[in-house]
Amino acid sequence: MIRTALPADLDSIAALHTRARATYYRGRIPQEEYGGPAELARTREGWARALARSAGEGGVLCAERDGELTGVAAYRTADGETTLTQLHVEPAHWRRGTGAALHAACLDAWRRSGVSRVRLEVYEHNLRAQAFYARQGWLPGPVPTASGSHLVLWLPVAAPPGA
């Protein structure tokens, strides 16, 4: 089930985010940069801000299975540009359709809002995530760009049929 995240989900979201990031950052960057106390506090604070945004500025969606949070996605619109800021799936639920379901729900929200394209940054060493986004239709821009250790990808958002 995909649903809008609630403030009561904050601790579960931050914990899921931390576990997912640890899985793909482990061995690539220092542990304190993805799992130390300062990073954990920053993660929780960031998700609190995302949950507090008004609907016109973005959204946070949760995937649930049998009452357990299995994935989370967040997007934000600022200065006319929509960005998929986060999409994380509990590692034990990878390759079960959770990420695709979250992505589809985001796509529906973007279409309803009239968004024509969306941006994201993906960690350059996270080849698994890059393959996932490619399957969803994300592409590098006409001139491939990087933002630090992340690649920038774009998704054209087609209007819903009959619109």
PDB file of all heavy atoms in Angstrom, residues 4 16 19 31 36-37 40 43 45 50 79 86 89 97 99 103 106-107 110-111 118 127 135 144 151:
ATOM      1  N   THR A   4       0.198   8.680   1.883  1.00  0.00           N
ATOM      2  CA  THR A   4       0.885   9.896   2.286  1.00  0.00           C
ATOM      3  C   THR A   4       1.480   9.682   3.670  1.00  0.00           C
ATOM      4  O   THR A   4       0.821   9.124   4.557  1.00  0.00           O
ATOM      5  CB  THR A   4      -0.104  11.080   2.307  1.00  0.00           C
ATOM      6  OG1 THR A   4      -0.635  11.254   0.993  1.00  0.00           O
ATOM      7  CG2 THR A   4       0.564  12.360   2.756  1.00  0.00           C
ATOM      8  N   LEU A  16      14.589   3.859   8.370  1.00  0.00           N
ATOM      9  CA  LEU A  16      14.645   3.178   7.067  1.00  0.00           C
ATOM     10  C   LEU A  16      15.683   3.852   6.171  1.00  0.00           C
ATOM     11  O   LEU A  16      16.508   3.188   5.544  1.00  0.00           O
ATOM     12  CB  LEU A  16      13.267   3.194   6.407  1.00  0.00           C
ATOM     13  CG  LEU A  16      13.157   2.448   5.083  1.00  0.00           C
ATOM     14  CD1 LEU A  16      11.734   1.932   4.905  1.00  0.00           C
ATOM     15  CD2 LEU A  16      13.526   3.307   3.903  1.00  0.00           C
ATOM     16  N   ARG A  19      19.174   2.843   7.227  1.00  0.00           N
ATOM     17  CA  ARG A  19      19.529   1.459   6.851  1.00  0.00           C
ATOM     18  C   ARG A  19      19.793   1.351   5.347  1.00  0.00           C
ATOM     19  O   ARG A  19      20.746   0.686   4.925  1.00  0.00           O
ATOM     20  CB  ARG A  19      18.417   0.496   7.264  1.00  0.00           C
ATOM     21  CG  ARG A  19      18.363   0.230   8.749  1.00  0.00           C
ATOM     22  CD  ARG A  19      17.376  -0.863   9.104  1.00  0.00           C
ATOM     23  NE  ARG A  19      16.010  -0.571   8.740  1.00  0.00           N
ATOM     24  CZ  ARG A  19      15.136   0.110   9.492  1.00  0.00           C
ATOM     25  NH1 ARG A  19      15.519   0.574  10.675  1.00  0.00           N
ATOM     26  NH2 ARG A  19      13.906   0.311   9.081  1.00  0.00           N
ATOM     27  N   GLN A  31      31.863   5.909   7.567  1.00  0.00           N
ATOM     28  CA  GLN A  31      30.603   5.548   8.218  1.00  0.00           C
ATOM     29  C   GLN A  31      29.932   6.729   8.908  1.00  0.00           C
ATOM     30  O   GLN A  31      28.714   6.855   8.879  1.00  0.00           O
ATOM     31  CB  GLN A  31      30.842   4.400   9.201  1.00  0.00           C
ATOM     32  CG  GLN A  31      29.568   3.697   9.616  1.00  0.00           C
ATOM     33  CD  GLN A  31      29.070   4.099  10.990  1.00  0.00           C
ATOM     34  OE1 GLN A  31      29.836   4.542  11.821  1.00  0.00           O
ATOM     35  NE2 GLN A  31      27.790   3.925  11.207  1.00  0.00           N
ATOM     36  N   GLY A  36      26.747   8.213  11.500  1.00  0.00           N
ATOM     37  CA  GLY A  36      27.173   8.758  12.788  1.00  0.00           C
ATOM     38  C   GLY A  36      26.065   9.590  13.429  1.00  0.00           C
ATOM     39  O   GLY A  36      25.074   9.928  12.786  1.00  0.00           O
ATOM     40  N   PRO A  37      26.219   9.920  14.704  1.00  0.00           N
ATOM     41  CA  PRO A  37      25.173  10.662  15.424  1.00  0.00           C
ATOM     42  C   PRO A  37      24.776  11.980  14.751  1.00  0.00           C
ATOM     43  O   PRO A  37      23.599  12.298  14.665  1.00  0.00           O
ATOM     44  CB  PRO A  37      25.786  10.912  16.803  1.00  0.00           C
ATOM     45  CG  PRO A  37      26.831   9.861  16.958  1.00  0.00           C
ATOM     46  CD  PRO A  37      27.339   9.570  15.579  1.00  0.00           C
ATOM     47  N   LEU A  40      22.729  11.144  11.665  1.00  0.00           N
ATOM     48  CA  LEU A  40      21.397  10.648  12.028  1.00  0.00           C
ATOM     49  C   LEU A  40      20.482  11.801  12.427  1.00  0.00           C
ATOM     50  O   LEU A  40      19.307  11.832  12.046  1.00  0.00           O
ATOM     51  CB  LEU A  40      21.499   9.611  13.143  1.00  0.00           C
ATOM     52  CG  LEU A  40      22.259   8.337  12.789  1.00  0.00           C
ATOM     53  CD1 LEU A  40      22.382   7.426  14.000  1.00  0.00           C
ATOM     54  CD2 LEU A  40      21.592   7.610  11.634  1.00  0.00           C
ATOM     55  N   THR A  43      19.542  13.649   9.262  1.00  0.00           N
ATOM     56  CA  THR A  43      18.555  12.874   8.506  1.00  0.00           C
ATOM     57  C   THR A  43      17.160  13.081   9.082  1.00  0.00           C
ATOM     58  O   THR A  43      16.210  13.352   8.354  1.00  0.00           O
ATOM     59  CB  THR A  43      18.928  11.379   8.520  1.00  0.00           C
ATOM     60  OG1 THR A  43      20.159  11.220   7.811  1.00  0.00           O
ATOM     61  CG2 THR A  43      17.861  10.513   7.887  1.00  0.00           C
ATOM     62  N   GLU A  45      16.065  15.526  10.936  1.00  0.00           N
ATOM     63  CA  GLU A  45      15.670  16.927  10.732  1.00  0.00           C
ATOM     64  C   GLU A  45      15.206  17.156   9.295  1.00  0.00           C
ATOM     65  O   GLU A  45      14.210  17.837   9.037  1.00  0.00           O
ATOM     66  CB  GLU A  45      16.846  17.841  11.067  1.00  0.00           C
ATOM     67  CG  GLU A  45      16.553  19.317  10.909  1.00  0.00           C
ATOM     68  CD  GLU A  45      17.785  20.162  11.221  1.00  0.00           C
ATOM     69  OE1 GLU A  45      18.417  19.924  12.275  1.00  0.00           O
ATOM     70  OE2 GLU A  45      18.097  21.044  10.400  1.00  0.00           O
ATOM     71  N   ALA A  50      10.636  17.820   5.367  1.00  0.00           N
ATOM     72  CA  ALA A  50       9.887  17.301   4.216  1.00  0.00           C
ATOM     73  C   ALA A  50       8.433  17.016   4.600  1.00  0.00           C
ATOM     74  O   ALA A  50       7.511  17.328   3.836  1.00  0.00           O
ATOM     75  CB  ALA A  50      10.553  16.033   3.681  1.00  0.00           C
ATOM     76  N   ASP A  79      11.147  27.059  -6.995  1.00  0.00           N
ATOM     77  CA  ASP A  79      11.535  27.887  -8.143  1.00  0.00           C
ATOM     78  C   ASP A  79      11.135  27.246  -9.466  1.00  0.00           C
ATOM     79  O   ASP A  79      11.887  27.286 -10.443  1.00  0.00           O
ATOM     80  CB  ASP A  79      13.043  28.176  -8.119  1.00  0.00           C
ATOM     81  CG  ASP A  79      13.476  28.898  -6.842  1.00  0.00           C
ATOM     82  OD1 ASP A  79      12.708  29.763  -6.364  1.00  0.00           O
ATOM     83  OD2 ASP A  79      14.554  28.581  -6.323  1.00  0.00           O
ATOM     84  N   GLN A  86      14.320  12.053  -2.473  1.00  0.00           N
ATOM     85  CA  GLN A  86      14.640  10.808  -1.779  1.00  0.00           C
ATOM     86  C   GLN A  86      13.754   9.694  -2.321  1.00  0.00           C
ATOM     87  O   GLN A  86      12.573   9.918  -2.587  1.00  0.00           O
ATOM     88  CB  GLN A  86      14.345  10.922  -0.275  1.00  0.00           C
ATOM     89  CG  GLN A  86      15.002  12.066   0.439  1.00  0.00           C
ATOM     90  CD  GLN A  86      16.457  11.824   0.751  1.00  0.00           C
ATOM     91  OE1 GLN A  86      16.955  10.703   0.697  1.00  0.00           O
ATOM     92  NE2 GLN A  86      17.172  12.876   1.083  1.00  0.00           N
ATOM     93  N   VAL A  89      14.167   2.198  -0.184  1.00  0.00           N
ATOM     94  CA  VAL A  89      13.423   0.970   0.114  1.00  0.00           C
ATOM     95  C   VAL A  89      14.218   0.192   1.154  1.00  0.00           C
ATOM     96  O   VAL A  89      15.450   0.111   1.072  1.00  0.00           O
ATOM     97  CB  VAL A  89      13.208   0.134  -1.167  1.00  0.00           C
ATOM     98  CG1 VAL A  89      12.569  -1.209  -0.853  1.00  0.00           C
ATOM     99  CG2 VAL A  89      12.347   0.901  -2.167  1.00  0.00           C
ATOM    100  N   GLY A  97       9.222  -4.758  -5.987  1.00  0.00           N
ATOM    101  CA  GLY A  97       8.259  -3.840  -6.573  1.00  0.00           C
ATOM    102  C   GLY A  97       7.933  -2.624  -5.727  1.00  0.00           C
ATOM    103  O   GLY A  97       7.175  -1.760  -6.155  1.00  0.00           O
ATOM    104  N   GLY A  99       9.923  -0.040  -4.767  1.00  0.00           N
ATOM    105  CA  GLY A  99      10.435   1.192  -5.376  1.00  0.00           C
ATOM    106  C   GLY A  99       9.631   1.604  -6.601  1.00  0.00           C
ATOM    107  O   GLY A  99       9.321   2.777  -6.780  1.00  0.00           O
ATOM    108  N   HIS A 103       7.582   5.008  -7.034  1.00  0.00           N
ATOM    109  CA  HIS A 103       7.866   5.857  -8.185  1.00  0.00           C
ATOM    110  C   HIS A 103       6.587   6.146  -8.962  1.00  0.00           C
ATOM    111  O   HIS A 103       6.326   7.287  -9.356  1.00  0.00           O
ATOM    112  CB  HIS A 103       8.915   5.199  -9.084  1.00  0.00           C
ATOM    113  CG  HIS A 103       9.376   6.087 -10.182  1.00  0.00           C
ATOM    114  ND1 HIS A 103       8.745   6.147 -11.400  1.00  0.00           N
ATOM    115  CD2 HIS A 103      10.396   6.980 -10.231  1.00  0.00           C
ATOM    116  CE1 HIS A 103       9.361   7.026 -12.159  1.00  0.00           C
ATOM    117  NE2 HIS A 103      10.368   7.543 -11.479  1.00  0.00           N
ATOM    118  N   CYS A 106       4.530   8.723  -7.176  1.00  0.00           N
ATOM    119  CA  CYS A 106       5.097  10.058  -7.384  1.00  0.00           C
ATOM    120  C   CYS A 106       4.723  10.578  -8.764  1.00  0.00           C
ATOM    121  O   CYS A 106       4.302  11.735  -8.918  1.00  0.00           O
ATOM    122  CB  CYS A 106       6.620  10.026  -7.226  1.00  0.00           C
ATOM    123  SG  CYS A 106       7.221   9.792  -5.554  1.00  0.00           S
ATOM    124  N   LEU A 107       4.874   9.735  -9.763  1.00  0.00           N
ATOM    125  CA  LEU A 107       4.543  10.116 -11.136  1.00  0.00           C
ATOM    126  C   LEU A 107       3.084  10.559 -11.237  1.00  0.00           C
ATOM    127  O   LEU A 107       2.779  11.576 -11.871  1.00  0.00           O
ATOM    128  CB  LEU A 107       4.838   8.946 -12.074  1.00  0.00           C
ATOM    129  CG  LEU A 107       4.871   9.203 -13.560  1.00  0.00           C
ATOM    130  CD1 LEU A 107       5.812  10.321 -13.939  1.00  0.00           C
ATOM    131  CD2 LEU A 107       5.261   7.920 -14.282  1.00  0.00           C
ATOM    132  N   TRP A 110       2.833  14.011  -9.725  1.00  0.00           N
ATOM    133  CA  TRP A 110       3.408  15.033 -10.607  1.00  0.00           C
ATOM    134  C   TRP A 110       2.474  15.332 -11.766  1.00  0.00           C
ATOM    135  O   TRP A 110       2.282  16.489 -12.132  1.00  0.00           O
ATOM    136  CB  TRP A 110       4.778  14.583 -11.113  1.00  0.00           C
ATOM    137  CG  TRP A 110       5.788  14.379 -10.025  1.00  0.00           C
ATOM    138  CD1 TRP A 110       5.873  15.053  -8.837  1.00  0.00           C
ATOM    139  CD2 TRP A 110       6.844  13.432 -10.016  1.00  0.00           C
ATOM    140  NE1 TRP A 110       6.914  14.571  -8.094  1.00  0.00           N
ATOM    141  CE2 TRP A 110       7.532  13.580  -8.784  1.00  0.00           C
ATOM    142  CE3 TRP A 110       7.284  12.466 -10.916  1.00  0.00           C
ATOM    143  CZ2 TRP A 110       8.638  12.819  -8.446  1.00  0.00           C
ATOM    144  CZ3 TRP A 110       8.387  11.692 -10.579  1.00  0.00           C
ATOM    145  CH2 TRP A 110       9.059  11.871  -9.359  1.00  0.00           C
ATOM    146  N   ARG A 111       1.893  14.309 -12.346  1.00  0.00           N
ATOM    147  CA  ARG A 111       0.960  14.522 -13.458  1.00  0.00           C
ATOM    148  C   ARG A 111      -0.234  15.348 -13.006  1.00  0.00           C
ATOM    149  O   ARG A 111      -0.655  16.268 -13.696  1.00  0.00           O
ATOM    150  CB  ARG A 111       0.501  13.186 -14.022  1.00  0.00           C
ATOM    151  CG  ARG A 111       1.543  12.498 -14.855  1.00  0.00           C
ATOM    152  CD  ARG A 111       1.045  11.175 -15.395  1.00  0.00           C
ATOM    153  NE  ARG A 111       2.031  10.581 -16.266  1.00  0.00           N
ATOM    154  CZ  ARG A 111       2.314   9.298 -16.298  1.00  0.00           C
ATOM    155  NH1 ARG A 111       1.649   8.437 -15.512  1.00  0.00           N
ATOM    156  NH2 ARG A 111       3.232   8.829 -17.116  1.00  0.00           N
ATOM    157  N   VAL A 118      11.030  16.233 -14.079  1.00  0.00           N
ATOM    158  CA  VAL A 118      11.523  16.126 -12.707  1.00  0.00           C
ATOM    159  C   VAL A 118      13.012  15.828 -12.748  1.00  0.00           C
ATOM    160  O   VAL A 118      13.509  15.167 -13.662  1.00  0.00           O
ATOM    161  CB  VAL A 118      10.768  15.000 -11.949  1.00  0.00           C
ATOM    162  CG1 VAL A 118      11.248  14.883 -10.515  1.00  0.00           C
ATOM    163  CG2 VAL A 118       9.275  15.249 -11.983  1.00  0.00           C
ATOM    164  N   LEU A 127      25.149   1.984  -8.605  1.00  0.00           N
ATOM    165  CA  LEU A 127      24.762   1.492  -9.924  1.00  0.00           C
ATOM    166  C   LEU A 127      23.405   0.802  -9.900  1.00  0.00           C
ATOM    167  O   LEU A 127      22.660   0.857 -10.877  1.00  0.00           O
ATOM    168  CB  LEU A 127      25.838   0.546 -10.462  1.00  0.00           C
ATOM    169  CG  LEU A 127      27.240   1.160 -10.588  1.00  0.00           C
ATOM    170  CD1 LEU A 127      28.226   0.118 -11.100  1.00  0.00           C
ATOM    171  CD2 LEU A 127      27.230   2.395 -11.457  1.00  0.00           C
ATOM    172  N   ARG A 135      15.266   2.180 -15.751  1.00  0.00           N
ATOM    173  CA  ARG A 135      14.062   1.388 -16.068  1.00  0.00           C
ATOM    174  C   ARG A 135      12.785   2.221 -15.938  1.00  0.00           C
ATOM    175  O   ARG A 135      11.784   1.937 -16.598  1.00  0.00           O
ATOM    176  CB  ARG A 135      13.965   0.149 -15.165  1.00  0.00           C
ATOM    177  CG  ARG A 135      14.969  -0.938 -15.491  1.00  0.00           C
ATOM    178  CD  ARG A 135      14.691  -2.245 -14.744  1.00  0.00           C
ATOM    179  NE  ARG A 135      14.628  -2.120 -13.303  1.00  0.00           N
ATOM    180  CZ  ARG A 135      15.685  -2.167 -12.474  1.00  0.00           C
ATOM    181  NH1 ARG A 135      16.904  -2.343 -12.974  1.00  0.00           N
ATOM    182  NH2 ARG A 135      15.528  -2.066 -11.172  1.00  0.00           N
ATOM    183  N   PRO A 144      25.477  15.610 -19.911  1.00  0.00           N
ATOM    184  CA  PRO A 144      25.501  14.942 -18.604  1.00  0.00           C
ATOM    185  C   PRO A 144      26.191  15.814 -17.561  1.00  0.00           C
ATOM    186  O   PRO A 144      27.229  16.411 -17.830  1.00  0.00           O
ATOM    187  CB  PRO A 144      26.278  13.660 -18.865  1.00  0.00           C
ATOM    188  CG  PRO A 144      26.136  13.430 -20.340  1.00  0.00           C
ATOM    189  CD  PRO A 144      26.058  14.801 -20.960  1.00  0.00           C
ATOM    190  N   LEU A 151      25.208  11.985  -9.867  1.00  0.00           N
ATOM    191  CA  LEU A 151      24.837  12.262 -11.244  1.00  0.00           C
ATOM    192  C   LEU A 151      23.454  12.897 -11.250  1.00  0.00           C
ATOM    193  O   LEU A 151      22.607  12.554 -10.424  1.00  0.00           O
ATOM    194  CB  LEU A 151      24.788  10.961 -12.050  1.00  0.00           C
ATOM    195  CG  LEU A 151      26.063  10.127 -12.059  1.00  0.00           C
ATOM    196  CD1 LEU A 151      25.808   8.806 -12.775  1.00  0.00           C
ATOM    197  CD2 LEU A 151      27.189  10.896 -12.708  1.00  0.00           C
TER     198      LEU A 151
END
